[in-house]
């Protein structure tokens, strides 16, 4: 796909979902926009792969429950045939002792199931779910706001602040105090205050460490959990939403929405640098040597890569160069995709019922298990007992993704550190695949005999293939030091970069990673505000 020759009002670097969302908003506002994507296909982390002939698996991301409703409505994604599938089960967490935890979309049903394990935890669950929903509703306001300019507060910042204060007041004084107390907390403490059973604590706390180089005892992991439930129906269980046809179908819909709004999209077009003159953006140069001009460049690739690789270091200056190099991107996530001859059977209670396996299956039997798995990564190793988030999307969506009777299994593996203490990822790739299958085999005996194809994607592959610095799935660690006004850096959280005309629109910008469309929509909003202010 090759675009026209311009001139353009704006160039979007990277055709990940956020780049496409941003381009669609800008084109709808009448700007002449082109998206330049390095790979042969758009979608970034919404890519698809073929672990065996006839099988199609989500290469990287598998669930999309965090997609902002506003983006879906504004860009009329349903008109482009976006169909979301929401199984009634959210989480199935098999335990080594043969028991299991099932978290349903309906908290009363979950509480009913928990009764067999612990009366106390069953009674605590509905209240905990209400608390998570209330606190996450405030986080949704935080995510929708543009962080203030702390150096020079504007009228817009003041109005944004008032809106946040109002949302905070609406929480009521009890929940208001509670959110201030819990945000910096370790998720192990957050769930430990409500629940007594390790299995329940592990299943609930896992979202607080998802994609992060943090364990459940790390400060700030409660904020990660609450952010995951912000603006969606996640509650305590979290969401489990799939795109019919796979995540790639969402990328296709966003491509149609961007093109339908008038944006041009070019693939196999790698941007080598952002061109500038007198401290202002003038366009981009491609690795092919071609140059495109535009007064606005919006980067959907990660902030570290944007600032350190695309921008002239002289333009950036030594201080900002140093600060950018300190943006934390410690990738610890790998992906294993399995093609299965038929549906596996988990040996724990309920593990033979396909409806219980239709959401997220968690190998996270307790806080200690998670913390130990994380510990290994601090010393550059992968734990012998890793934390796995597994989905079998072919249960809820059998549409053409495996041969008759077959299934695909999509496995997120933590913690697999980008920087290994010994060896390298090219040598360790198959060992990681073996470890994942061995771990699953203990919970689903016979699984290894069902595997007809396997694909292992290491953090190094994420960097090489998908352009993610150190393989970080979220373009930057979701710690408190890189949250809201600090994402990606204090003073640069408002999408605008220090070179005039350069903006960020990817997951490394506020409100962060996940398949949300939030950074893409937020960046477009600020670009359009700046254009309006100039007129
Ligand atoms: C293994 C894995 C599993 C995940 N699972 C989930 C999940 O289940 N649910 C969820 O919500 N989130 C998940 N995430 C996180 C989520 O997918 C990402 O945060 C999000 O999709 C990133 O979208 P993006 O548009 O910001 O960036 P990306 O998807 O990273 O897109 C950036 C694009 O820029 C392109 N690019 C890079 N360099 C250049 C260049 N120089 N010139 C032109 N183009 C360039 C890349 O090829 C890419 O297409 C997962 C991430 C990973 C890695």
């Amino acid at each position: 796909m090759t675009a026209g020759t311009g001139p353009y009002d704006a160039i979007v670097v990277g055709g990940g979902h956020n780049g496409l969302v941003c381009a669609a908003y800008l084109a709808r506002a009448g700007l002449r926009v082109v998206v330049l994507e390095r790979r042969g296909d758009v979608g970034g982390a919404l890519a698809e792969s073929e672990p065996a002939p006839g099988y199609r698996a989500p290469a990287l991301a598998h669930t999309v429950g965090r997609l902002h409703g506003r983006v879906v409505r504004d860009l009329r994604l349903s008109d482009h045939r976006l169909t979301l599938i929401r199984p009634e089960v959210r989480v199935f967490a098999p335990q080594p002792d043969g028991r299991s935890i099932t978290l349903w979309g309906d908290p009363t049903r979950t509480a009913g199931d928990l009764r067999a394990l612990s009366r106390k935890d069953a009674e605590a669950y509905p209240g905990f779910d209400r608390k998570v929903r209330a606190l996450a509703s405030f986080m949704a306001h935080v995510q929708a706001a543009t962080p203030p300019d702390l150096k020079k507060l504007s009228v817009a910042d003041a109005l944004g602040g008032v809106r946040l204060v109002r949302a905070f007041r609406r929480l009521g004084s009890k929940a208001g105090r509670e959110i201030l107390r819990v945000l910096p907390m370790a998720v192990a403490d957050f769930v430990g205050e409500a629940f007594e059973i390790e299995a329940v604590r592990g299943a609930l706390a896992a979202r607080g460490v998802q994609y992060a180089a943090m364990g459940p005892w790390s400060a700030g992991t409660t904020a990660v959990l609450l952010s995951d439930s912000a603006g969606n129906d996640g509650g305590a269980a979290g969401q489990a939403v799939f795109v019919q046809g796979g995540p790639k179908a969402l990328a296709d819909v966003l491509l149609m929405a961007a093109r339908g709004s008038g944006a041009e999209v070019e693939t196999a077009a790698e941007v080598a640098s952002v061109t500038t003159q007198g401290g202002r953006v003038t366009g981009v140069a491609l690795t092919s040597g071609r140059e495109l001009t535009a007064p606005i460049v919006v980067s959907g690739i990660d902030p570290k890569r944007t600032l350190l690789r695309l921008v002239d270091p002289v333009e950036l200056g030594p201080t900002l160069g140093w600060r950018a190099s300190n943006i934390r991107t410690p990738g610890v996530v790998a992906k294993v995709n399995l093609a299965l001859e038929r549906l596996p059977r988990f040996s724990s209670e309920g593990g033979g019922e396909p409806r219980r396996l239709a959401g997220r299956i968690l190998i996270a039997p307790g806080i200690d298990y998670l913390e130990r798995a994380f510990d290994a990564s601090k010393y550059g190793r992968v734990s012998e007992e890793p934390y796995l988030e597994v989905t079998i999307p072919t249960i809820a969506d059998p549409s053409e993704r495996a041969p008759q009777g077959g299934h695909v299994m999509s496995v997120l593996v933590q913690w697999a550190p980008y920087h290994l203490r010994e060896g390298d990822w090219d040598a360790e790739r198959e060992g990681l695949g073996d470890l994942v299958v061995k771990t699953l085999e203990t919970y689903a005996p016979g699984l290894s005999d069902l595997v007809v194809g396997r694909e292992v994607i290491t953090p190094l592959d994420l960097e090489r293939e998908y352009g993610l610095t150190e393989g970080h799935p979220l373009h930057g660690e979701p710690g408190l030091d890189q949250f809201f006004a600090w994402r990606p850096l204090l003073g640069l959280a408002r999408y605008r970069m220090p070179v005039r005309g350069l903006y960020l629109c990817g997951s490394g910008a506020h409100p962060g990673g996940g398949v949300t469309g939030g950074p893409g929509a937020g960046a477009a909003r600020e670009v359009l505000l700046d254009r309006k202010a100039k007129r």
Side-chain angles (χ1 to χ4, degrees), residues 133-491:
R133 284 175 195 276
L135 302 185
S137 72
F138 176 70
M139 296 300 276
H141 289 283
V142 172
Q143 291 192 352
T146 296
D149 183 348
L150 296 175
K151 265 199 194 147
K152 204 174 70 187
L153 281 177
S154 65
V155 176
D157 289 335
L159 289 175
V162 168
R163 275 195 294 273
L164 274 185
V165 169
R166 277 208 198 116
F168 184 75
R169 288 227 177 104
R170 273 199 300 275
L171 277 177
S173 62
K174 196 168 158 220
R177 272 200 310 275
E178 188 62 357
I179 195 153
L180 294 177
R181 183 181 79 90
V182 304
L183 271 188
M185 243 164 105
V187 72
D189 278 325
F190 183 57
V191 299
E193 287 181 350
F195 301 102
E196 62 178 7
I197 302 269
E198 262 297 282
V200 177
R201 290 177 176 177
L204 291 171
R207 273 190 310 141
V209 296
Q210 190 91 67
Y211 319 116
M214 296 190 272
W217 287 110
S218 303
T221 40
T222 302
V224 177
L225 182 141
L226 294 176
S227 300
D228 190 64
S229 279
N232 62 56
D233 178 39
Q239 49 75 28
V241 180
F242 300 92
V243 182
Q244 188 169 51
K248 166 85 170 47
L250 174 59
D252 293 342
V253 162
L254 289 170
L255 177 64
M256 278 191 268
R259 288 220 167 114
S261 309
E264 294 175 36
V265 178
E266 182 172 335
T267 52
E270 180 170 1
V271 173
S273 63
V274 172
T275 53
T276 55
Q277 199 171 41
R280 261 219 80 92
V281 156
T282 56
V284 299
L286 303 186
T287 48
S288 64
R290 220 170 99 217
E291 293 204 7
L292 281 80
T293 58
I296 294 168
V297 172
V298 193
S299 173
I301 73 175
D302 71 59
K304 205 166 182 170
R305 195 162 281 251
T306 300
L307 293 173
L308 297 181
R309 297 223 187 161
L310 299 190
V311 178
D312 183 346
V314 175
E315 204 62 73
L316 208 59
T319 308
L320 194 55
W322 173 77
R323 291 183 70 206
S325 70
N326 285 333
I327 295 173
R328 294 192 307 113
T329 53
V332 286
V333 176
K335 186 77 197 299
V336 175
N337 297 316
L338 302 175
L340 302 177
E341 209 169 60
R342 59 191 151 75
L343 192 62
R345 195 189 161 83
F346 284 77
S347 54
S348 45
E349 258 171 72
E353 300 170 33
R355 68 186 178 126
R356 282 188 198 256
L357 308 180
R360 293 178 293 123
I361 302 164
L362 298 186
I363 306 300
I367 298 292
D368 286 353
Y369 180 98
L370 288 170
E371 188 70 14
R372 279 198 206 100
F374 163 62
D375 269 347
S377 72
K378 292 192 298 199
Y379 309 107
R381 290 188 297 107
V382 182
S383 165
E384 278 302 304
E385 294 188 313
Y387 157 45
L388 308 179
E389 181 188 89
V390 182
T391 62
I392 311 176
T394 33
I395 297 179
D397 175 20
S399 62
E400 296 178 56
R401 306 182 67 201
Q404 186 69 25
H407 284 274
V408 292
M409 195 180 233
S410 162
V411 188
L412 272 168
V413 192
Q414 278 182 241
W415 286 253
Y418 173 84
H419 295 286
L420 285 173
R421 178 68 55 96
E422 279 169 29
D424 63 71
W425 274 118
D426 286 328
E428 300 300 325
R429 176 178 291 106
E430 293 314 318
L432 182 72
D434 293 345
L435 173 68
V436 167
V437 172
K438 187 179 121 200
T439 307
L440 287 170
E441 178 80 27
T442 61
Y443 293 88
L447 178 126
S448 48
D449 295 335
L450 304 179
V451 178
V452 293
R454 179 173 96 179
E455 174 192 39
V456 181
I457 301 169
T458 70
L460 186 61
D461 298 327
L462 291 177
E463 181 172 71
R464 285 196 294 222
E465 264 296 306
Y466 297 91
L468 299 167
T469 302
E470 289 183 283
H472 204 295
L474 310 179
H475 292 196
E477 185 63 3
L480 286 177
D481 59 326
Q482 297 189 159
F483 172 73
F484 192 54
W486 288 262
R487 190 165 186 90
L489 286 169
L490 189 60

Side-chain angles (χ1 to χ4, degrees), residues 120-143:
K120 179 174 177 284
D121 287 2
E123 278 164 13
Y125 190 79
F128 184 76
D129 179 71
R130 277 195 299 278
K131 175 158 128 177
V132 170
R133 284 175 195 276
L135 302 185
S137 72
F138 176 70
M139 296 300 276
H141 289 283
V142 172
Q143 291 192 352

Side-chain angles (χ1 to χ4, degrees), residues 516-529:
T516 66
R525 182 179 63 230
E526 298 305 313
V527 167
L528 295 173
L529 277 174

